[in-house]
Amino acid sequence: MSETQEQDGPRELLSAAAAAARAARRTRQGAWFPLLLLGLIIVGAIPFYRLNLPTMAPGSSGVLVGRREEPIISGEITDPRADWYWLIALIAGYGAIALFYRWRARRTGVAGRIWPYTVAGLLLFALLLTTGSEVPAPVNLQRVLPGELAGRGLLPLITIGLGLFVLAWTERSLLLAALATVYLALAVVANLYDTENLFYRLGWISPWDYENAPLPNLLLPAVPLLLGGAVFALRTWRAR
Amino acid sequence: MTHPATALRELVHQRARLGVLAVVHEADRADFGFLQSTLDLTAGNLSRHLQALEEAGLVTLERGYHGKRPRTWVRITKAGRSALQEEITQLKALIARVETRPEDPESAD
């Protein structure tokens, strides 16, 4: 835009303002990073969701709160160290996301608001910590959640999905909202159903042995996050 | 009924200033270099526009450093958001008025 082009018609003015706003939006969006990071965090949880581990013996303690009869998050049949994993990985993850957006703002010259997303993600996870079996009834989510939603110890997948809707709102991205919807649906399935059973129902032989049976329940929501992150990264790279 | 053109605010009714407000409305804040390259303005011209917008209370400027280089960040204020919204509403009304105006009989074939 040259300095002599100040006398524009209303249509040209609106069009120029919309183009400038689009450029700012494209530059500030950085959803590829949280998507890839959260996908990797979910994949990183796989070792804690193997069956038949010594730590799954009846009466084993959830390590997060010391001498609990049951772990807070990790379910009744998986490694209670998953509690610690989710706690450390999600706090570090949301912290890394905030730092990434800050670094990106300094590099590009456009800053977007990321704190609503990181705060929402951490608050949702904090809310999850109230699902412990020893928490009193009025605030014990396990007693009000439908079906066996809390039984597989994969509720952090749900909090990640709900947080993604906040990210879609701050990024003003319908594509991200669509991805969050797909992810959340798969996360709910992963919490309610042993997806390995699909192989048997379809008459196929499961590629996983008994010990690794929960693995597809983690891969199911992780894959769309990783693929979505790759697509968003490609879009960002091509927009440069 | 007021004609939309009379309701336009002279301060904002310029491509560069409207562009600045549109960018900082979309982002939490934007720096001088990004505004200059996106709006294709010279540094002097952008400075004058920013000064006018700041004096009117439509944006705030944060002057700091990135390493040893000075860096100015621009944020929109509540008044700036209102002014942008008002300008866009009036521009749309103006376009709608032009589009719905009956054809001039003298210019018809």
Side-chain angles (χ1 to χ4, degrees):
Chain A
M1 181 192 316
S2 75
E3 295 177 31
T4 58
Q5 290 179 324
E6 297 290 358
Q7 298 301 321
D8 292 303
R11 195 180 300 280
E12 288 75 24
L13 277 174
L14 271 182
S15 173
R22 275 198 303 274
R25 187 181 304 176
R26 271 199 312 270
T27 307
R28 74 172 170 79
Q29 286 176 334
W32 65 269
F33 182 79
L35 291 174
L36 285 179
L37 183 63
L38 292 169
L40 289 174
I41 285 175
I42 294 171
V43 170
I46 286 174
F48 302 103
Y49 286 86
R50 298 171 73 190
L51 301 179
N52 235 0
L53 292 168
T55 46
M56 62 167 280
S60 64
S61 298
V63 285
L64 186 59
V65 288
R67 300 181 58 178
R68 278 185 175 280
E69 289 184 4
E70 290 178 25
I72 294 179
I73 300 165
S74 54
E76 296 168 6
I77 56 170
T78 49
D79 191 339
R81 285 175 298 182
D83 287 1
W84 281 112
Y85 174 77
W86 287 116
L87 182 71
I88 294 167
L90 287 181
I91 289 174
Y94 286 118
I97 289 167
L99 287 176
F100 166 77
Y101 273 84
R102 189 174 167 174
W103 167 80
R104 190 178 161 79
R106 284 182 178 171
R107 201 172 71 87
T108 62
V110 184
R113 284 192 310 164
I114 193 61
W115 67 264
Y117 169 58
T118 52
V119 169
L122 289 172
L123 282 179
L124 284 164
F125 182 69
L127 185 67
L128 186 57
L129 296 179
T130 65
T131 61
S133 58
E134 293 178 8
V135 176
V139 290
N140 186 333
L141 291 184
Q142 281 190 13
R143 300 185 189 185
V144 294
L145 288 173
E148 296 181 349
L149 200 57
R152 288 173 180 77
L154 292 171
L155 281 174
L157 301 179
I158 305 275
T159 70
I160 287 171
L162 293 173
L164 285 179
F165 284 102
V166 180
L167 183 63
W169 169 65
T170 59
E171 298 260 293
R172 295 182 68 187
S173 168
L174 280 176
L175 187 62
L176 186 55
L179 179 66
T181 305
V182 170
Y183 166 83
L184 188 61
L186 293 175
V188 170
V189 169
N191 272 275
L192 289 173
Y193 184 67
D194 292 329
T195 49
E196 197 208 17
N197 290 343
L198 277 176
F199 289 92
Y200 296 111
R201 285 175 185 265
L202 294 170
W204 299 341
I205 298 171
S206 170
W208 295 285
D209 54 19
Y210 171 76
E211 190 176 280
N212 292 308
L215 192 143
N217 280 51
L218 284 156
L219 287 182
L220 188 69
V223 168
L225 282 193
L226 294 172
L227 287 179
V231 169
F232 275 85
L234 192 63
R235 279 163 52 99
T236 304
W237 179 73
R238 289 178 69 178
R240 280 182 184 175
Chain B
M1 182 182 166
T2 311
H3 190 283
T6 60
L8 289 168
R9 196 171 169 183
E10 190 58 37
L11 180 74
V12 182
H13 188 62
Q14 295 182 28
R15 180 184 276 225
R17 293 178 187 175
L18 192 59
V20 169
L21 290 179
V23 167
V24 291
H25 178 263
E26 176 62 41
D28 189 33
R29 57 183 185 154
D31 81 349
F32 190 94
F34 179 82
L35 287 169
Q36 192 186 341
S37 61
T38 302
L39 304 174
D40 195 17
L41 295 168
T42 64
N45 196 15
L46 177 58
S47 289
R48 283 194 296 278
H49 287 305
L50 289 179
Q51 189 180 349
L53 291 171
E54 186 185 28
E55 284 171 0
L58 303 187
V59 298
T60 57
L61 305 184
E62 298 167 18
R63 293 177 180 85
Y65 285 88
H66 181 61
K68 289 183 178 177
R69 286 192 329 184
R71 195 168 196 181
T72 301
W73 289 94
V74 184
R75 276 183 199 272
I76 196 167
T77 63
K78 196 175 174 185
R81 288 184 197 280
S82 302
L84 176 66
Q85 196 56 54
E86 194 180 322
E87 171 75 4
I88 287 172
T89 303
Q90 297 303 337
L91 287 173
K92 284 180 177 173
L94 201 56
I95 292 168
R97 194 180 176 102
V98 169
E99 285 177 346
T100 57
R101 192 174 60 183
E103 200 173 306
D104 185 352
E106 289 183 11
S107 65
D109 289 334

